[in-house]
Amino acid sequence: MNVETQRKNIVHRILAIQNEQLLSQIEALLDNDVYTYTTSGKPLSTAAYKNHLTEIMNFSETVEIGYTTEEAKKKINRK
């Protein structure tokens, strides 16, 4: 069975599920699946990645002083 066929079969089975607990378990499984990795190699789940992005957005909205592109380049080059 190829991936596309398997995906379609799973979708049809999920659409037929009436058990809310089972649907919650499937959702938790999908949310905890590794979505990406940090630069240090730490795996991030979908939920953790979304939380990380939210934290960045919240921080960027509250910070009054930031760096210009040139200032950021200078800081990076010094290290």
Side-chain angles (χ1 to χ4, degrees):
M1 176 182 326
N2 68 25
V3 173
E4 188 63 30
T5 303
Q6 187 177 18
R7 186 179 300 130
K8 286 179 182 178
N9 288 341
I10 292 170
V11 167
H12 288 292
R13 289 177 65 190
I14 290 174
L15 290 173
I17 294 173
Q18 299 297 318
N19 182 330
E20 287 184 37
Q21 183 180 5
L22 180 56
L23 289 171
S24 294
Q25 290 173 343
I26 292 169
E27 186 174 29
L29 177 66
L30 293 172
D31 285 345
N32 290 323
D33 190 29
V34 173
Y35 178 73
T36 191
Y37 293 87
T38 64
T39 54
S40 62
K42 176 184 170 192
L44 287 177
S45 67
T46 303
Y49 183 66
K50 287 179 182 177
N51 288 338
H52 180 66
L53 292 179
T54 301
E55 288 175 9
I56 290 170
M57 293 302 293
N58 290 340
F59 181 76
S60 67
E61 290 173 359
T62 59
V63 175
E64 293 179 20
I65 299 174
Y67 297 109
T68 66
T69 302
E70 289 305 315
E71 290 171 332
K73 285 180 183 178
K74 288 178 185 174
K75 280 184 141 315
I76 292 169
N77 289 335
R78 277 190 252 151
K79 292 184 177 185

